[in-house]
Amino acid sequence: MRASPADLVITGCTVLVHEEHEEHEEHEEHEGHDQDERIGFRTDAAIVVRDRVIESVTTAAEVRDLPAVERIEAHGQVAMPGLINCHTHAPMTVLRGLAEDLPIEEWFNGVVWPVESNLTAADVELGARLACAELIRGGVTCFADHYFHMDTVAAVVAECGLRAHLGEAYFSSQGPEGRERSAEFALRHRGTADGRITTALAPHAPYTVTDADLAATAELARAHGLPVHIHAAENRDQSEAGLARHGRTPVEVLERTGLLDTDLLIAHGTGILERDLPLLARTGGRTAVATAPRGYLRFAWPDTTPVRALRAAGVPVGLATDGAASNNSLDVWESMTLTALVQKSTEGDPRWLTSRQALHHATLQSARAVGLGDSVGSLAPGRRADIVLVDLTGPHTQPVHDLAATLVHSARASDVRTTVVDGRILMRDRVLLTLDLPSVMGELTRRLPALTDRGHGRRIQQYDT
Ligand SMILES: [Zn+2]
């Protein structure tokens, strides 16, 4: 036994693990990735954390006498990797519920972009604090954010203890300064907050950023080893408009401008067409897609992210919520449930997107999507200690016949009792330990009238596919 105490011991729980596969079994797989989707559960287990890393996943008996600075008795709870929100705009929590029952053109041009022309760094800070509180309460340990005033978001992340993948968004209408600011942000913040912050270049979308600027972004990404996070092929209209006007789909624009040669995270991709799939397959998993199905339902888009085709192309698909202005929540748990249901419905196949597959998207594939596939996304020795504890004693989660199904289809974000990031407890027994929510809401309420004023007639952009 080690002389120094462990930093944290979680014991008595069931632990979700990604089971190793036997080498010889690989040949039997059809689409090439089945072996990665083996989610298993170890009962009466324990997790030992030391120096912010998982030292071991073992039995409760093994740790009974192990000295520890912190000890959590977690009987009746499941320990799983913290959820990852692979595409959001955290500060947009301040616009939650402001633009409802509208098609996307009116949502952008009539409400969101006029209101965003009022945004100050102070609003962004309050929105980010509210978002981080919601994320931690919902068992999210890492989020990929794409917004403005990102220095402010980085400061909130550093303080509240979450992990984040941050990018300063830009439009071509801002001139070269937009792109330069995005690169400067990414380089300055990379590896900060004790390594919890990673960064990306963040062009808004092919419909707001010119091909020349996208090509310049790809150059910057290659020169500095930075990933890129972008909205693309968000819906079928955008892909069809691209073909009609320029003879190219948004994914073909990404390819032509060199972005498919970078570590690329595409938000949405519900407009990905058959002809795009070989281009995406060629990236060998360096391109990933984030799916946020609630928004697609709400905007009545005819498609969803083509998860089955992307899987066959070897493209990881992570779970996301997008911003709260279009998703109404930052609930990744709900994204997991909806992804499973929408995929079954779209494919007309109840056997597709099983609960274990959904958990795989929520864990390892989401980690890969944000470039953290080697450090988070599973509970195994050597991984960063990003752990959530889920209470399954409630009536809506009992009895448990199939634990994967219980987690995906019966449990809710509010069943998360404890959230740990990098070995630090950010919420314990539903109590937030690093954020003061009442003070955030007090200040935000005072600022809302100025923030939501649209009398000035300005908007930061014009939406046109
Ligand atoms: Zn978005």
Side-chain angles (χ1 to χ4, degrees):
M1 197 173 292
R2 302 269 293 263
S4 66
D7 294 320
L8 172 65
V9 168
I10 301 169
T11 184
C13 52
T14 295
V15 178
L16 185 157
V17 293
H18 294 78
E19 290 176 341
E20 301 290 327
H21 63 280
E22 303 290 327
E23 282 300 317
H24 68 268
E25 285 178 322
E26 275 188 69
H27 306 292
E28 295 161 23
E29 310 298 346
H30 301 298
E31 290 174 323
H33 304 278
D34 295 288
Q35 69 273 18
D36 295 334
E37 292 169 1
R38 296 207 181 141
I39 302 283
F41 296 99
R42 291 196 205 159
T43 55
D44 208 19
I47 300 171
V48 179
V49 175
R50 201 184 292 270
D51 297 330
R52 308 191 290 157
V53 167
I54 296 172
E55 185 178 80
S56 62
V57 177
T58 180
T59 63
E62 196 70 32
V63 301
R64 193 161 296 134
D65 303 315
L66 188 73
V69 177
E70 287 266 17
R71 179 175 282 267
I72 297 176
E73 299 292 337
H75 297 275
Q77 300 182 45
V78 174
M80 55 185 275
L83 296 175
I84 297 169
N85 193 338
C86 295
H87 174 77
T88 188
H89 314 281
M92 291 183 86
T93 48
V94 298
L95 310 186
R96 191 194 318 267
L98 187 67
E100 295 299 302
D101 308 317
L102 295 172
I104 191 162
E105 296 82 352
E106 289 175 49
W107 180 87
F108 263 135
N109 295 331
V111 186
V112 171
W113 279 341
V115 169
E116 283 185 334
S117 70
N118 299 330
L119 267 186
T120 64
D123 299 319
V124 165
E125 180 182 339
L126 290 167
R129 285 183 188 282
L130 179 57
C132 289
E134 182 180 2
L135 292 166
I136 294 167
R137 292 258 294 180
V140 175
T141 53
C142 177
F143 67 104
D145 211 41
H146 194 282
Y147 209 55
F148 313 102
H149 300 293
M150 291 299 289
D151 282 332
T152 310
V153 177
V156 172
V157 166
E159 189 186 322
C160 78
L162 278 169
R163 191 180 301 285
H165 184 62
L166 305 178
E168 178 87 30
Y170 67 92
F171 305 112
S172 282
S173 60
Q174 296 166 327
E177 300 77 41
R179 186 177 68 240
E180 284 157 17
R181 206 175 322 124
S182 191
E184 191 272 331
F185 171 87
L187 293 171
R188 187 159 43 84
H189 284 278
R190 174 160 63 177
T192 58
D194 296 326
R196 287 182 285 108
I197 291 179
T198 52
T199 55
L201 298 168
H204 177 261
Y207 58 87
T208 49
V209 179
T210 63
D211 288 11
D213 278 341
L214 293 176
T217 304
E219 282 288 322
L220 279 169
R222 278 192 293 271
H224 297 290
L226 285 166
V228 179
H229 182 179
I230 188 170
H231 301 94
E234 292 178 300
N235 54 41
R236 196 196 297 172
D237 285 352
Q238 290 175 8
S239 294
E240 286 174 356
L243 279 171
R245 285 180 209 159
H246 315 291
R248 282 186 289 282
T249 67
V251 171
E252 286 167 340
V253 170
L254 299 179
E255 199 260 348
R256 226 177 110 90
T257 53
L259 283 170
L260 289 190
D261 299 326
T262 68
D263 292 311
L264 184 67
L265 174 55
I266 296 175
H268 312 311
T270 84
I272 289 172
L273 303 179
E274 195 72 41
R275 58 191 279 165
D276 298 325
L277 293 168
L279 299 178
L280 295 170
R282 232 175 281 152
T283 70
R286 285 185 76 191
T287 293
V289 177
T291 189
R294 184 183 241 279
Y296 318 148
L297 296 169
R298 156 205 177 102
F299 287 128
W301 288 352
D303 307 286
T304 192
T305 311
V307 174
R308 200 171 205 162
L310 290 170
R311 179 178 185 273
V315 176
V317 177
L319 303 181
T321 65
D322 216 347
S326 65
N327 197 82
N328 301 80
S329 82
L330 304 184
D331 186 342
V332 178
W333 207 285
E334 184 189 60
S335 295
M336 173 167 71
T337 310
L338 281 177
T339 295
L341 294 174
V342 168
Q343 289 295 320
K344 285 177 190 300
S345 172
T346 306
E347 297 290 339
D349 182 359
R351 295 181 200 279
W352 167 245
L353 222 115
T354 63
S355 298
R356 279 179 162 74
Q357 285 180 293
L359 288 167
H360 196 264
H361 285 289
T363 55
L364 267 183
Q365 288 190 56
S366 289
R368 285 177 194 148
V370 298
L372 296 172
D374 295 328
S375 57
V376 300
S378 75
L379 301 182
R383 298 263 167 169
R384 309 306 300 188
D386 290 9
I387 306 163
V388 298
L389 298 175
V390 189
D391 181 1
L392 296 184
T393 59
H396 61 286
T397 48
Q398 289 294 319
V400 177
H401 294 295
D402 174 345
L403 185 47
T406 301
L407 287 170
V408 175
H409 292 290
S410 301
R412 306 165 187 155
S414 55
D415 293 323
V416 174
R417 291 206 64 79
T418 297
T419 300
V420 177
V421 177
D422 227 28
R424 179 182 179 196
I425 303 173
L426 307 188
M427 176 177 77
R428 188 162 190 167
D429 291 326
R430 300 293 297 157
V431 178
L432 291 171
L433 302 178
T434 59
L435 284 158
D436 178 2
L437 191 53
S439 89
V440 170
M441 286 318 302
E443 200 177 335
L444 179 58
T445 305
R446 280 192 294 280
R447 298 189 69 92
L448 281 178
L451 177 64
T452 55
D453 174 40
R454 283 179 275 153
H456 49 67
R458 295 188 308 270
R459 59 174 73 103
I460 59 164
Q461 269 294 315
Q462 172 75 28
Y463 181 83
D464 176 14
T465 57

